[in-house]
Amino acid sequence: MPIKLKAALSARRVQTLNKPGSYADGGWLELIVRDGCRKTWTLRVMVDGKRIVRGLGPYPQVSLADARALAVEYREALLAGRDPSIEAKAEREAEKAMKEAEADIPTFGQMASEVIATRRPVWSNPKHAAQWESTLTTYAFPVMGSKPGGLDHDRRRVGRAEANLDLETRDGYQDQATYGDHF
């Protein structure tokens, strides 16, 4: 049972509370104090006839003003027929699925290593492979090495590479068959 206060909580009061318990601020917003130092904000609401307690975050990361604003947002969403906790769960699941999908995409560094390995036999001098590796290691890998590779991730750079390859092919420096469908 929350401890009844004569007035709503103040920022100073929230800061100095150290007695374990539940302190009501009004509007179903409560500060839960545990172990004299851990404090968290909760909001008690009714959803479909069930009393639900939702965490709003720890104090001091979530200030009194922020907790009040979050409580108002939450209550307004419920009145509009939405449940923010269900929306947040769906958003987290979508982010997780996106990360899992990106895990299947090789990184730029992995793709570059594969291209070098594929082209190594075609180069007339082993020094070319060393130059490619050195250039990529120095300039590209620190910026793009761990990012997902693939044409859709950086159209501008791919376009530049295609333009260079077209010029090289047109001017007779490279054979288009060497690159295959890499671009």
Side-chain angles (χ1 to χ4, degrees):
M1 183 73 150
I3 298 171
K4 303 267 187 196
L5 300 176
K6 292 180 182 175
L9 294 171
S10 67
R12 178 73 178 143
R13 176 93 168 119
V14 169
Q15 184 179 10
T16 58
L17 280 173
N18 58 10
K19 182 179 176 187
S22 177
Y23 298 87
D25 182 56
W28 308 307
L29 178 65
E30 295 179 348
L31 178 69
I32 308 294
V33 179
R34 293 186 178 98
D35 304 330
C37 60
R38 291 185 329 169
K39 302 174 185 178
T40 57
W41 293 106
T42 62
L43 180 66
R44 291 177 183 240
V45 292
M46 295 291 282
V47 177
D48 296 329
K50 297 178 185 176
R51 188 174 89 179
I52 298 175
V53 178
R54 295 287 182 226
L56 300 178
Y59 177 84
Q61 287 85 355
V62 178
S63 68
L64 174 61
D66 293 340
R68 286 176 176 163
L70 286 170
V72 167
E73 274 182 41
Y74 202 97
R75 284 191 302 270
E76 286 175 353
L78 288 173
L79 289 173
R82 299 182 352 259
D83 188 348
S85 60
I86 292 173
E87 292 172 0
K89 183 179 179 181
E91 192 174 308
R92 284 191 305 271
E93 288 174 358
E95 286 176 17
K96 183 180 176 184
M98 181 77 93
K99 286 181 182 179
E100 289 172 358
E102 284 182 358
D104 294 340
I105 299 172
T107 65
F108 175 82
Q110 292 168 333
M111 292 178 74
S113 298
E114 184 179 324
V115 168
I116 291 170
T118 303
R119 297 191 59 203
R120 190 180 301 269
V122 178
W123 285 320
S124 59
N125 190 336
K127 187 163 74 170
H128 293 147
Q131 288 171 335
W132 270 61
E133 289 171 342
S134 174
T135 302
L136 289 170
T137 302
T138 303
Y139 300 106
F141 290 167
V143 177
M144 299 171 37
S146 62
K147 293 183 180 177
L151 297 179
D152 293 335
H153 287 83
D154 200 343
R155 283 277 173 214
R156 187 176 47 175
R157 285 193 181 95
V158 170
R160 290 176 185 163
E162 286 175 337
N164 287 339
L165 292 175
D166 289 344
L167 285 174
E168 290 174 356
T169 304
R170 186 194 70 204
D171 295 341
Y173 294 111
Q174 295 290 337
D175 179 13
Q176 186 67 35
T178 303
Y179 297 104
D181 290 329
H182 287 291
F183 292 98

